[in-house]
Amino acid sequence: MLPDWLLPGRPDPLGAHWDGLGVNFAVFSAHAEQIDLCLFDPAGRREMARLPLPECTDEVFHGYLPEARPGLVYGYRAHGPYQPEQGHRFNPNKLLLDPYGRQLQGSLRWTDALYGHRLGAQRADLSFDRRDSAAAMPKSVVVDDAFNWGDDRAPMVPWDRTVIYETHLRGLTIRRDDLVPRERGTFAALADPPVIEHLQKLGVTAVELLPVQAICQDRFLVQKGLRNYWGYSPLSYFAPEPGYLSSGALDEIRVAIRRMHAAGIEVILDVVYNHTCEADMLGPTLSWRGLDNASYYRMNPEDPRQHIDETGCGNTLNLSHPRVLQMVMDSLRHWATAYRVDGFRFDLCSTLGREAHGFDPASGFFDAIRQDPVLSRLKLIAEPWDIGPGGYQLGNHPPGFSEWNDRFRDGVRRFWRGDDSMRPDLAARLTGSGDLFERRRRRPWASVNFLAAHDGFTLEDLVSYEHRHNEPNREDNRDGHGENFSANWGVEGPSDDPLIRDTRDRLKRAMLVTLFASHGTPMLLGGDEFGRTQHGNNNAYCQDNEISWLDWSLAGSEAGIELSHFIGRAAALRRRHPTLRSTTYLHGRTEPLPGIPDIAWFDADGHALTPEAWNVPQGRTLALRRAGPTEEGGVEVTLLLLNAGATPVDFVLPPPALHWTLLLNSAQPQAEEAAVNGPVLTLAARSACLLAALPLSQEATP
C-alpha cells in the first residue's frame, strides 16, 4: 500500500526515477502554480490518488513517493493561468504525460475532452474545457533500465566504410511470413537472423530506423481511416512506440540492438525534436502544452497566442530555452546509454539550429551536442532544411554532422534521365560534393548520398512513374513532391514490355553503381534492393499497409535476387577499393603514380575534358579516374565510366596504358570480373562500368 503523501524529494534528475526504496518525481514548469502527481491502477483506467508535488526548486516541481516501484502508472495535472493571449494554457482537468516518461501504458483515444478549450466554441481557444481527459489518455510508467549487456561492443564503423540502410521498423518485417505473427513489425523481428543475414549480404553497416519514439496517431488521419505510418508526430521523446514491442518489454529493444552489434551493424534512430504532436493553438493538450506552453514552444512575440510554425506541423520546440534544450539532450543521452544506439538522424535539423536571428551553426543545440562526451562520438546526421525563412541549409551544418544531400539525389536522377548540361553537377556529386561541404575541415562523408528515401519515390518507382500517384492519401493528389526528376520510359506504372523493363532495370543498376562509386556516405532505401514499389505514391506517410510495407516475395524473385546480389557486389568493391570512398577531397594536385593525378576527368574519346567540353549540353558520357594508396601500402587506380545516352558508346581508356580489370558492369550484372583487352571498351546504352588497374610498366610502379 503506497502512502498518500509525498516527501520533498529532489529536483534532479528530471522524470521518474526509482532508487530501490521509492520513486523521485521531478518536472519542469516555469509558469505553473501547482503540479499534481496522479497515480493510476496498473491498467491505467482508474485514478487512485492525486498528490500535489510538495516542492519547487529552480522552476522544477518535485516529490518523492516511498515504497513506489517500477510499473507504477502515473500522469500529471498542472494548475496555473489559462491566458492563451499570454501564451499560458494551464488546465488541471487535462491529464498530462510526463515529458521524461520512459514507457507508456495504454493508447490515445480521440475525444473532444483532450483539448484545453471547447471545440466549436465561438471564442475558439480562448474558451475553457472542464472535462477530465484521463480516460482518453495514455499514461506514463516508472521503469528500471537495468540490463545485462554482456560483451556488447559498439561496432563503431568508420564513416568512410559506412553503408546506411534506411527503413521503417514495422514495414521492414510485417510481411515476413517466416516470423511469428506477433513479432512481425517489431524490434524482436529486427533481431531475427534472416533479417540480419540479408543486411550483411547487402554490405549494410548501419540501419537507420524511421521514428520509434512514441507516436501520436493524428486525429485528422484517424478520421480518414489512415494512420501516421512514418511517425513524425512525437508523443514522447523518451518512451518507445508501444506497438513496436511484441512483448511489451523495453528489453526487446536492447536485445535487438545487442544482436545487431554482434553482426557488426549499427543502429541509427530518426528523431523528431523540431515539433510535437500538439499542433497549433487549436491542438490538443497532452503534455508540454499543459505543463508550460510558453516555455516549450516558440511563440509569436507580437501575439503569444500563436505558435511560430517553421516545421509545417503547427508548432516549433523552443530549443533556445535551457530546459527545453536539456530535455532534448537528456532524451538523446537516454537512447544512447539505456539502449546503446549508435547515432541519430535529426528530422528538420535546420529548425534545431534556429536562434532568434535565424539558423546558426553555432546555436545552443549544436554546441551542446558537439561538446557532449557521449553524443559527440556518435553518428550524427542532419536533414538540412525546414519550411521557415532561410530554411535550406545544405552544407552549412557544423563539423561533426553529416547531412542528407538532396543535391546528390536530384543530380544523379537528372543525369541518368538524360537531362542536358548535367556533367558539371554530377562531377561534384561523385567527389563528395566538396562545393557544399569542403569547409571547416569537414570530410567527404559529411555528404549522405542517396537515390531514394522514405520521402519520395522508391528506386523502382523512380524509373516507372513520371507523376506522383498519391490518391490513397485522400488529399486530392496535392501532397508530395511535384518534381521527382523521374521518367517512366514509355508506360506509366508497371509494364510487361521487355524493352521497357530492361531499360528500367539497367537504369536502376547504373544509378546504384553511381551511388557506391561516389565519395560520401551511401544510403539505400529499404526494399530498393529487390524492386519495392509504392505504386507511384511519393508521400506514403499515412499508408500503414501494403503500399509501404516491404514485399519479401520480391526478394525471392529472380529479379530481386539478381539486384540484391548486384548491390552486395557494389558494396564489396567499395570496401575493397579506398579510392571509391576517399577520406579527403581530391583536386588533381598530387600524383600517386607518375603522370596519374589523384583525380582526372575524361570524355569518351579518352581526352581530358576541356572547359568547353564540360558545358556541352548534350554531354551524356563521363569518365572519372582516381588514384590513391591502398591499405596494404601500394597504389590503386580506378576508372568509372558512365553512359547516360540511348546508344552504346566506345570509350577510349585514358592514357597512360594500364592493365585494366572490369569489376562491375551495370549492363551485364552477372558478369564476373575480367581483364579488359585493348584500349577501347564499349559501354552499353544507359549503363555504368567500374574498372581497376595496375601499372603496365615497371617505371610506373610505386
Side-chain angles (χ1 to χ4, degrees):
M1 190 73 178
L2 294 175
D4 57 0
W5 43 265
L6 295 171
L7 295 173
R10 295 179 52 84
D12 60 88
L14 290 167
H17 292 270
W18 178 58
D19 64 6
L21 300 176
V23 176
N24 191 80
F25 296 88
V27 59
F28 158 74
S29 178
H31 299 99
E33 298 166 355
Q34 174 184 316
I35 293 183
D36 297 336
L37 171 67
C38 301
L39 306 180
F40 289 82
D41 70 314
R45 296 192 182 94
R46 185 163 62 94
E47 186 174 336
M48 308 292 291
R50 188 177 302 186
L51 309 174
L53 293 175
E55 296 287 346
C56 184
T57 304
D58 296 334
E59 300 180 335
V60 174
F61 290 79
H62 53 93
Y64 182 87
L65 183 61
E67 307 302 326
R69 300 180 60 82
L72 182 68
V73 180
Y74 71 100
Y76 291 120
R77 297 180 189 271
H79 302 258
Y82 188 82
Q83 298 171 340
E85 65 278 6
Q86 300 299 320
H88 302 310
R89 297 177 179 271
F90 294 98
N91 187 334
N93 300 292
K94 309 306 168 184
L95 187 76
L96 308 173
L97 287 174
D98 181 357
Y100 277 68
R102 288 173 286 166
Q103 188 174 17
L104 296 186
Q105 164 76 7
S107 57
L108 190 71
R109 180 175 59 82
W110 282 109
T111 168
D112 291 356
L114 291 172
Y115 296 79
H117 62 283
R118 292 198 64 86
L119 291 187
Q122 186 174 0
R123 300 183 68 227
D125 62 309
L126 297 178
S127 63
F128 188 80
D129 188 279
R130 300 185 181 279
R131 287 171 290 185
D132 192 332
S133 67
M137 281 289 293
K139 282 79 179 178
S140 301
V141 182
V142 177
V143 303
D144 178 13
D145 285 327
F147 179 73
N148 184 358
W149 285 96
D151 60 353
D152 176 75
R153 295 289 186 275
M156 297 186 71
V157 180
W159 266 112
D160 68 296
R161 291 181 172 271
T162 296
V163 176
I164 298 173
Y165 184 90
E166 192 211 20
T167 192
H168 189 286
L169 179 70
R170 174 172 165 82
L172 175 65
T173 60
I174 192 68
R175 298 184 70 182
R176 291 280 307 214
D177 294 337
D178 56 339
L179 295 175
V180 176
R182 69 180 178 86
E183 293 186 352
R184 297 171 191 168
T186 69
F187 275 99
L190 180 67
D192 191 67
V195 174
I196 292 177
E197 181 181 357
H198 175 77
L199 297 172
Q200 289 176 316
K201 287 181 178 179
L202 291 174
V204 167
T205 70
V207 169
E208 182 178 305
L209 299 175
L210 268 68
V212 299
Q213 294 171 343
I215 301 162
C216 175
Q217 293 301 326
D218 308 276
R219 192 174 197 177
F220 77 95
L221 290 176
V222 172
Q223 291 172 339
K224 293 180 179 180
L226 301 171
R227 289 176 57 81
N228 190 318
Y229 173 68
W230 286 353
Y232 293 98
S233 187
L235 181 61
S236 172
Y237 290 126
F238 289 78
E241 168 58 30
Y244 296 162
L245 301 173
S246 66
S247 62
L250 300 180
D251 283 352
E252 184 176 317
I253 304 174
R254 299 180 175 100
V255 170
I257 291 177
R258 185 174 174 182
R259 288 181 177 171
M260 295 290 278
H261 284 178
I265 299 175
E266 297 177 310
V267 178
I268 298 171
L269 301 185
D270 194 335
V271 288
V272 189
Y273 296 113
N274 55 79
H275 75 281
T276 78
C277 64
E278 291 184 314
D280 59 16
M281 66 181 188
L282 298 177
T285 297
L286 308 176
S287 179
W288 308 273
R289 169 172 283 134
L291 286 167
D292 195 346
N293 180 72
S295 293
Y296 277 109
Y297 297 114
R298 295 187 63 201
M299 310 305 295
N300 186 333
E302 298 179 358
D303 181 7
R305 182 181 171 189
Q306 302 276 352
H307 294 77
I308 291 175
D309 181 12
E310 291 157 334
T311 65
C313 300
N315 63 58
T316 303
L317 271 184
N318 181 21
L319 267 67
S320 296
H321 192 292
R323 287 296 188 183
V324 182
L325 177 60
Q326 178 189 357
M327 178 188 69
V328 171
M329 296 296 293
D330 288 348
S331 170
L332 291 168
R333 275 190 296 267
H334 173 67
W335 288 94
T337 56
Y339 297 106
R340 297 195 180 184
V341 302
D342 304 282
F344 300 96
R345 180 265 190 189
F346 296 94
D347 178 63
L348 301 186
C349 196
S350 295
T351 299
L352 309 184
R354 285 187 180 274
E355 297 290 357
H357 56 277
F359 177 81
D360 186 350
S363 71
F365 168 75
F366 291 131
D367 287 349
I369 283 197
R370 294 178 64 205
Q371 64 79 43
D372 188 280
V374 174
L375 302 177
S376 62
R377 296 167 59 90
L378 304 182
K379 285 187 166 67
L380 306 172
I381 303 171
E383 183 184 40
W385 50 78
D386 65 19
I387 68 167
Y392 189 74
Q393 293 293 335
L394 179 65
N396 294 329
H397 286 64
F401 280 76
S402 294
E403 304 177 37
W404 270 27
N405 188 352
D406 63 330
R407 290 276 300 276
F408 180 95
R409 176 197 65 192
D410 295 347
V412 172
R413 289 182 177 189
R414 293 186 64 193
F415 176 81
W416 286 108
R417 188 173 68 170
D419 289 11
D420 287 348
S421 304
M422 289 305 302
R423 288 202 294 194
D425 182 79
L426 182 67
R429 307 307 141 230
L430 288 167
T431 52
S433 295
D435 57 328
L436 302 171
F437 297 103
E438 193 179 7
R439 56 175 67 96
R440 301 187 66 185
R441 301 290 182 175
R442 300 179 77 183
R443 300 296 189 96
W445 58 70
S447 174
V448 175
N449 302 329
F450 60 101
L451 306 170
H454 70 274
D455 185 2
F457 278 155
T458 66
L459 184 60
E460 178 69 27
D461 290 354
L462 179 62
V463 296
S464 303
Y465 295 90
E466 288 191 4
H467 309 287
R468 65 190 178 206
H469 295 270
N470 298 352
E471 290 82 3
N473 297 357
R474 301 179 67 178
E475 297 181 38
D476 299 322
N477 204 34
R478 292 178 283 103
D479 60 307
H481 296 300
E483 177 53 86
N484 298 278
F485 303 114
S486 61
N488 62 29
W489 304 102
V491 173
E492 186 77 352
S495 174
D496 294 327
D497 187 314
L499 293 178
I500 293 176
R501 189 66 255 173
D502 178 69
T503 298
R504 292 175 176 178
D505 290 344
R506 186 175 297 194
L507 281 163
K508 287 192 297 182
R509 293 190 297 266
M511 285 189 281
L512 287 164
V513 171
T514 308
L515 175 68
F516 280 96
S518 294
H519 295 167
T521 303
M523 184 181 80
L524 291 168
L525 173 62
D528 277 355
E529 70 271 23
F530 46 71
R532 179 173 76 96
T533 177
Q534 292 181 167
H535 310 292
N537 192 320
N538 72 354
N539 188 36
Y541 77 101
C542 56
Q543 299 298 327
D544 188 3
N545 50 50
E546 294 185 357
I547 291 176
S548 297
W549 301 339
L550 273 64
D551 181 359
W552 285 93
S553 68
L554 296 173
S557 67
E558 181 179 352
I561 293 172
E562 181 181 87
L563 186 57
S564 294
H565 180 69
F566 185 82
I567 290 174
R569 285 183 62 191
L573 289 172
R574 183 179 176 87
R575 290 194 302 272
R576 191 202 313 174
H577 295 282
T579 54
L580 304 182
R581 48 181 174 83
S582 176
T583 59
T584 60
Y585 292 100
L586 307 180
H587 299 286
R589 302 186 188 121
T590 61
E591 291 189 354
L593 292 172
I596 300 182
D598 56 10
I599 188 168
W601 304 90
F602 304 90
D603 215 333
D605 59 9
H607 295 145
L609 279 167
T610 64
E612 294 76 20
W614 272 113
N615 294 304
V616 171
Q618 290 75 35
R620 303 281 188 267
T621 60
L622 190 61
L624 166 58
R625 189 183 66 194
R626 288 168 283 192
T630 65
E631 293 174 348
E632 294 75 25
V635 176
E636 70 172 11
V637 183
T638 56
L639 182 64
L640 177 66
L641 305 179
L642 307 176
N643 175 22
T647 58
V649 173
D650 291 334
F651 274 80
V652 177
L653 303 182
L658 300 171
H659 288 303
W660 290 105
T661 298
L662 180 58
L663 304 176
L664 196 64
N665 184 348
S666 66
Q668 298 175 343
Q670 296 178 334
E672 299 295 329
E673 296 182 11
V676 177
N677 297 317
V680 176
L681 181 66
T682 301
L683 212 61
R686 301 188 179 96
S687 64
C689 285
L690 184 62
L691 300 85
L694 294 174
L696 178 63
S697 63
Q698 185 66 32
E699 289 77 16
T701 303

